[in-house]
């Protein structure tokens, strides 16, 4: 799969982007496994925002048209009954892509979510995303190099960010948004 997205790595400029009014979308996916080729997205959560505040939110479950593995249900608390009555992702993907259009995407371990999102675009006959991206995993390593871990749950606990329900897409997107804001406070 060809990578279309440019991951921003000049972390010193991210605070300026935020202060100048750039629009961001923090997002997260929950999936049926680890391979975007063989697995599907079962949930997307997103928060579109700027320094002025939250502009739009998105939270949607999808029918993956396959069985959700037991360990995924245990991790996400998303079970087969919850998704069997939902529409497939291709029914909702155009709306999500419209929401994120012209925004800078933010995700923790961003390449994972981007690979799945772009694989779903391809499967749906849609163009892959071309958004610029901030990976809060890398951003937090730059901003807080002395921390022993940089997993989203650890960072949320460390910074006393309310995680909601970890491993649910919308709550993880909000945690990621809060982590991004915490990182933008660092000036090096």
């Amino acid at each position: 799969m060809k990578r279309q997205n440019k991951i921003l790595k000049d972390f010193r400029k991210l605070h300026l982007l935020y202060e100048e009014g750039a629009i961001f979308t923090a997002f997260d996916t929950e999936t049926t496994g680890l391979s975007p080729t063989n697995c599907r997205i079962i949930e997307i959560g997103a928060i579109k925002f700027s320094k002025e505040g939250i502009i739009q939110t998105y939270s949607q479950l999808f029918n993956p048209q396959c069985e959700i593995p037991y360990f995924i249900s245990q991790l996400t608390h998303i079970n087969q009954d919850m998704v069997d009555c939902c529409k497939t992702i291709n029914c909702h993907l155009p709306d999500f892509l419209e929401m994120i259009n012209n925004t800078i995407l933010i995700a923790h371990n961003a390449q994972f979510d981007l690979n799945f999102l772009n694989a779903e675009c391809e499967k749906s006959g849609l163009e892959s995303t071309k958004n610029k991206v901030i990976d809060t995993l890398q951003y937090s390593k730059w901003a807080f190099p002395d921390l022993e871990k940089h997993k989203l749950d650890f960072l949320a606990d460390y910074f006393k960010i309310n995680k909601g329900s970890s491993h649910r897409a919308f709550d993880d997107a909000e945690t990621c948004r809060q982590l991004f804001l915490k990182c933008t406070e660092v000036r090096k």
Side-chain angles (χ1 to χ4, degrees):
M1 181 184 317
K2 186 178 175 185
R3 292 185 182 167
Q4 301 285 333
N5 307 91
K6 179 182 180 191
I7 297 184
L8 301 176
K9 295 183 180 178
D10 189 348
F11 300 123
R12 287 177 179 83
K13 292 184 180 178
L14 295 183
H15 175 77
L16 290 175
L17 275 174
Y18 179 73
E19 287 301 319
E20 291 171 354
I23 298 176
F24 303 89
T25 302
F27 84 106
D28 185 62
T29 62
E30 299 304 333
T31 67
T32 60
L34 299 176
S35 168
T37 305
N38 302 323
C39 301
R40 303 300 301 265
I41 292 176
I42 55 175
E43 184 178 40
I44 295 177
I47 301 139
K48 184 177 182 177
F49 69 99
S50 71
K51 73 175 184 174
E52 304 300 322
I54 293 174
I55 299 167
Q56 186 178 357
T57 61
Y58 184 92
S59 181
Q60 187 65 54
L61 288 169
F62 309 107
N63 184 333
Q65 298 179 302
C66 64
E67 289 294 316
I68 297 175
Y70 177 78
F71 74 94
I72 295 293
S73 287
Q74 292 299 302
L75 179 68
T76 65
H77 303 290
I78 299 171
N79 62 46
Q80 201 67 43
D81 289 339
M82 293 167 68
V83 297
D84 279 346
C85 61
C86 295
K87 292 182 179 179
T88 57
I89 191 169
N90 63 316
C91 296
H92 295 280
L93 204 47
D95 290 337
F96 180 70
L97 296 175
E98 178 63 30
M99 177 186 165
I100 67 172
N101 189 36
N102 296 319
T103 70
I104 299 169
L105 298 177
I106 302 171
H108 202 75
N109 193 18
Q111 201 59 61
F112 177 86
D113 296 292
L114 289 170
N115 287 346
F116 268 93
L117 180 59
N118 287 326
E120 292 290 2
C121 286
E122 187 177 310
K123 291 171 188 171
S124 298
L126 299 169
E127 194 172 319
S128 293
T129 62
K130 292 181 175 56
N131 304 62
K132 292 180 180 174
V133 181
I134 298 165
D135 185 345
T136 54
L137 175 61
Q138 298 306 316
Y139 195 15
S140 68
K141 287 179 179 180
W142 173 83
F144 309 104
D146 295 334
L147 292 180
E148 61 190 73
K149 297 178 190 169
H150 291 273
K151 289 188 173 200
L152 191 58
D153 278 347
F154 174 84
L155 293 167
D157 290 341
Y158 183 84
F159 292 114
K160 297 180 178 27
I161 297 170
N162 181 352
K163 296 184 290 191
S165 295
S166 290
H167 300 294
R168 286 304 301 263
F170 185 81
D171 289 339
D172 284 355
E174 174 58 14
T175 302
C176 187
R177 183 180 80 88
Q178 294 292 332
L179 176 59
F180 166 78
L181 294 174
K182 187 58 103 176
C183 291
T184 61
E185 294 172 4
V186 174
R187 310 287 194 310
K188 289 187 181 183

